Structure formats: structure tokens, C-alpha cells
Amino acid sequence: MIPVILSGGSGTRLWPLSRGQYPKQFLPLVTDKTMVQETLLRLNGLEGIKAPIAVCNEDHRFMMAEQLWEIGGKPQAIILEPMGKNTAPAVAMAALSVKPEDVLLVLPADHVIANVAAFHKAAIAANQLAQSGQLVTFGIVPTEPETGYGYIKRSSSRIGEAYQVAAFVEKPDQKTAESYVSSGEFFWNSGMFAFKAQTFLDELQKFNPEMLQACKNALNGAQVDLDFTRLDKDAFSACPSDSIDYAVMEKTDKAVVIPLDAEWNDVGSWSALWDVTQKDDSGNAVFGDVVTIDTKNSYIYSRNKLVSAIGVEDLVIIETDDAVLVATKSRVQDVKDVVNLLKSQNRPEADTHRKVFRPWGHYDTVDKGERHQTKRIVVKPRAKLSLQKHHHRAEHWIVVRGTALVTKGDEQLLIAENESIYIPLGTVHSLENPGVIPLEMVEVQSGSYLGEDDIVRFEDKYGRI
């Protein structure tokens, strides 16, 4: 089986930790590993697993590559979507990239599965069914009448470990969800699948030929860029947007569902994250510098500051560099409304953190005025920023740790710890870390305009020109 890791989605319901440019699947929310990493590590020990294919947004390509590299998960491909088109086109791209007889194991990168042994057992059964031409989905055995999930109704007809799918149903109201669970005929829709590449493509051709042709065009026009397959933007933009469920699974007669009872959670909200997190004797899940007095059943996260909670219950309190969220656990689904409000006001906090990650490292804007701003910059070993210039700002660099190799016009200079250099406005320059430890710097910018779009690149090892 070839795992297909899907990392789409913005994860807005986990704002302010999860944001458009750094969504929840790239965050370590439950363990010290990110959700993407846990998705791949969960497959260790599963016989017949091959190198994965990752499908992600173009903006997240370097995060995906680095997080897979950190756990030794060298992918056979990282397919970059110029824009989100839902799961059906993403999976079609993966299916078109492999042999027709290969079985794809489609896994969203934002799930928690505590019982890995049960998941492996279900995946083995799914592989056998996929080999015989079935389109397999994993149905989560419900533990409560959840209204936040779609459901799959099984028929009475069995094929091995699976049931024929009778229907896919939308998120129900409370009374309907209770009837689903009490009937024993419904499962939560997990969004995980297994099928042969050609079987899926044949069914997609039958039910949505326009989508399949657009995917073929986008892949035929793709360019290989470093470790990435960059789809043709114009061709992919013409592709219809749809989920696997709507595009294929609800229409095919090959759909079967395998029951999965593996302590699954899609971590779709702060209350869901509280459910799967270790808690203290008062039911609190706390992270970072947190002090609680007479506080119960709350989720409290501190990234930088001391957070104190006194006499509260059932709250979510999240502190980050540039935003604080306080909500009752019963209202955390409404966090997406805050994000929508921020977007309508063009607030950067909707999409970006104060700390911004780049392929060469990251920077953190610690102070900003009308004509100046100060950043902490960390450059990874052997990494290099693009050769560039600015029309509206000058820069002062102070090396705090490590050694910087600086190109300044026609000069190349080594700047050691406690030394500094000045880059005048309009000077062509670049910055490189030639060492084996991270390079840490303080950058002070001054000028009439300090936006990140005031960059003219001449050379870039990451393909950003």
C-alpha cells in the first residue's frame, strides 16, 4: 500500500494556534510530533507499506518536506496544489502518479488514533478488499451521538470484514444522531480510504470525467521543482472542487465500509483536543507556564507568558505571541467566526503568526514602528537566503550566535558572534549560515516601507523567483 497523506484544510477552529499559513496538521498538538508526522509514524510495523505520497498546498511545501525528513519519511512525491480543490482532485493526482494496480491508503493528516493495533488490523483488511476491486472507507464506531460528523449507513450485506455502504449522510441534529447511534447501523465518516489507483480513476471517469481530465492536464503540465511536483496552475484552476464522498463514493456500487474502533478523533476543535489530552486531577489540560486555582475541566495553553486561571470551569484559554483566545468549551466551534471576522478586517492574525517560517529557518517580529522594525532571525545550518535587494529599507544585522557569511554588493564577509554589518538601501545582498549550528541574529530594518513584498530576488535555491 502507498500512503497518501492529505494535509489540506486551514484548521480555523484551532485558532489562534492553527492559522492559514501554519495549519493544525503541522503542529505538535497531542505529542511532541506534529500531526503530519504522527500520521506517517502510525504506519510503522504495517506490512507492505511503501514510501508515501504527500499532497499539500504550495504555501506549505517546505514545512511538509522538513517534517517528513525529520522522521526519516522520504516521500516518493510531494504534490503541490496551487489552490485547494477538496479531496477528490488531491487523491486523483496521487492515483495518476502511481501504477494502476497500486493500492492507495488515503489518510488525512489531522487525526488522532490511540489504538494503532486496531487501525493496522483494519488497514490489512482494507488492503485485501481494495485488491479485489472495492472502494473502502473506514467507518468509526461511534461512542456518542456526535452532531459534528457526517455518518455512513451500512447495509446488511457483508464482504469479508466490511459492509456494503447503504448511504452517506450529512451532519445530523441531536435527535437524529441519537437514533443513528442506537440503531447500530451507522458509523462516523472518518475520511480515510483504501482502493486501487485504477479502480478509483475508473469510477471518477464514470461520475466526474471533467474533474479527471483537469487533473490529467494539471499533472501533464507539472514541473519538478527540487523535491516537489508543482501542478500546472491554469489547468488545476479549471478543475471542479469536490470531496471523494460526493465525487465518487456516494455514486459508486463498489463502496464498502470497514468498522474501525480505534479511539479515533479528528481534533476538529479545542474541546476535541481536550478530550484526547492527558489531564490533571481537576480535569485540566495545561501546557506551558500555567497556574490554576479552583479551576476545573479546562484547556489552558501558554506559549510565552504566565497564564493564571482562578475559579473557572470548562474554559479554553490559549495564549500566543500575538493573540489570546478565551472561550467556553461549549462554544469553541464558533472560533471560526472569529477568524472570518479577522479576515473581513484584513487582520494578519487570521493567517500568519508573529513567528514566520521560511525554508531557510524563521523570523519573529519583536518590535515595529512607523519607520522601523526589529526581527529575531534564525537560519538553519547550510541554509541561505536569496540574493536580493530592497527599494525602501536598509538593514542592520547583529550576530548573536554562530557565524554569518554575508554577500554585500561585490564583497563576501564572515560576521562572527557579537559583530554586526550594515546593508544600505538598494544594495544587493544575501545571508548564509556556513556552520553546523543555527545562526541567530537580530535584524533592525529602517525605511519608508517595511513590507515583505519589498524584495527583488536575483538568485534563490528554493525556487521562489
Side-chain angles (χ1 to χ4, degrees):
M1 284 189 292
I2 298 175
V4 179
I5 310 298
L6 302 181
S7 69
S10 59
T12 54
R13 287 177 294 179
L14 289 182
W15 184 91
L17 272 190
S18 177
R19 306 195 189 183
Q21 293 299 311
Y22 210 95
K24 66 176 181 176
Q25 53 268 31
F26 297 104
L27 295 169
L29 293 177
V30 180
T31 71
D32 61 348
K33 298 291 190 293
T34 69
M35 304 292 283
V36 162
Q37 292 171 330
E38 287 289 358
T39 302
L40 194 55
L41 290 170
R42 193 176 299 134
L43 302 175
N44 287 348
L46 186 57
E47 187 176 350
I49 287 293
K50 300 178 182 178
I53 295 173
V55 185
C56 68
N57 186 280
E58 187 173 329
D59 291 340
H60 304 147
R61 63 193 185 280
F62 295 113
M63 287 188 288
M64 174 63 79
E66 182 169 356
Q67 291 191 7
L68 293 179
W69 173 81
E70 285 176 353
I71 60 170
K74 183 172 177 57
Q76 56 179 288
I78 300 178
I79 299 174
L80 305 182
E81 295 181 303
M83 69 285 293
K85 289 290 185 176
N86 216 314
T87 54
V91 174
M93 292 299 178
L96 290 166
S97 303
V98 300
K99 297 176 182 177
E101 66 273 15
D102 284 332
V103 172
L104 303 180
L105 179 61
V106 179
L107 303 171
D110 56 358
H111 291 177
V112 171
I113 297 178
N115 190 340
V116 174
F119 170 67
H120 282 194
K121 181 180 178 181
I124 291 169
N127 184 37
Q128 295 171 345
L129 288 161
Q131 294 283 6
S132 66
Q134 306 299 319
L135 298 176
V136 185
T137 184
F138 295 80
I140 306 301
V141 178
T143 57
E144 59 184 333
E146 173 63 56
T147 60
Y149 300 141
Y151 283 70
I152 301 169
K153 183 180 182 182
R154 66 169 177 84
S155 72
S156 58
S157 176
R158 297 197 64 162
I159 303 177
E161 298 292 322
Y163 296 90
Q164 290 276 5
V165 171
F168 287 82
V169 293
E170 298 293 334
K171 298 175 183 178
D173 58 28
Q174 184 65 33
K175 185 177 180 180
T176 304
E178 290 172 0
S179 69
Y180 287 170
V181 174
S182 63
S183 75
E185 298 178 340
F186 288 81
F187 304 102
W188 292 339
N189 188 349
S190 71
M192 298 187 291
F193 305 90
F195 35 66
K196 280 200 293 191
Q198 193 59 54
T199 305
F200 176 75
L201 294 174
D202 287 345
E203 295 301 282
L204 187 60
Q205 173 64 37
K206 186 186 301 183
F207 300 116
N208 202 324
E210 180 186 356
M211 177 183 291
L212 180 58
Q213 188 58 53
C215 289
K216 289 179 178 179
N217 294 342
L219 196 59
N220 289 337
Q223 295 182 337
V224 176
D225 174 12
L226 301 176
D227 296 327
F228 309 110
T229 300
R230 192 185 294 272
L231 299 175
D232 182 88
K233 185 174 182 178
D234 291 338
F236 194 66
S237 65
C239 182
S241 177
D242 214 345
S243 68
I244 297 177
D245 290 347
Y246 286 132
V248 173
M249 297 298 288
E250 292 187 0
K251 301 168 183 174
T252 182
D253 59 2
K254 299 179 184 295
V256 298
V257 56
I258 287 185
L260 177 60
D261 189 1
E263 299 173 63
W264 172 93
N265 194 304
D266 74 344
V267 197
S269 68
W270 287 113
S271 59
L273 191 55
W274 178 84
D275 287 338
V276 300
T277 303
Q278 186 174 355
K279 305 168 190 68
D280 63 21
D281 293 339
S282 297
N284 299 313
V286 299
F287 300 87
D289 195 2
V290 174
V291 174
T292 63
I293 298 175
D294 295 331
T295 295
K296 298 178 182 179
N297 301 326
S298 295
Y299 188 101
I300 306 174
Y301 178 100
S302 169
R303 175 168 284 176
N304 295 295
K305 303 176 183 68
L306 169 64
V307 174
S308 303
I310 303 172
V312 298
E313 189 171 348
D314 294 324
L315 286 187
V316 170
I317 304 172
I318 311 296
E319 181 271 336
T320 68
D321 297 323
D322 58 354
V324 175
L325 168 71
V326 180
T328 60
K329 283 197 301 187
S330 63
R331 293 289 304 275
V332 291
Q333 295 287 353
D334 297 332
V335 171
K336 62 182 183 297
D337 295 334
V338 174
V339 177
N340 291 335
L341 179 61
L342 294 175
K343 288 182 177 179
S344 70
Q345 298 172 351
N346 295 317
R347 294 283 299 259
E349 294 91 344
D351 289 307
T352 60
H353 287 277
R354 201 182 75 178
K355 179 184 285 187
V356 177
F357 289 84
R358 291 288 188 257
W360 45 261
H362 64 263
Y363 68 83
D364 184 0
T365 304
V366 297
D367 184 42
K368 188 172 184 179
E370 185 177 348
R371 292 182 58 88
H372 77 277
Q373 66 179 349
T374 303
K375 295 181 178 179
R376 286 198 296 259
I377 296 176
V378 177
V379 184
K380 294 182 290 190
R382 311 299 185 190
K384 181 180 181 180
L385 282 68
S386 57
L387 185 68
Q388 59 185 255
K389 72 175 182 180
H390 311 294
H391 290 300
H392 303 287
R393 70 174 185 253
E395 295 174 340
H396 305 252
W397 294 341
I398 305 165
V399 175
V400 177
R401 181 172 182 256
T403 302
L405 177 60
V406 177
T407 298
K408 178 183 176 182
D410 297 328
E411 299 179 276
Q412 274 204 328
L413 307 100
L414 278 173
I415 311 299
E417 291 181 7
N418 301 316
E419 295 181 342
S420 63
I421 189 170
Y422 170 62
I423 309 296
L425 182 151
T427 300
V428 175
H429 62 279
S430 71
L431 172 66
E432 182 175 357
N433 180 2
V436 296
I437 64 172
L439 166 64
E440 299 180 17
M441 298 174 37
V442 174
E443 175 184 80
V444 179
Q445 302 176 353
S446 59
S448 59
Y449 179 73
L450 306 172
E452 283 301 305
D453 53 348
D454 180 25
I455 298 177
V456 180
R457 290 189 173 97
F458 300 99
E459 297 175 7
D460 184 67
K461 65 186 293 186
Y462 306 110
R464 295 176 296 170
I465 296 178

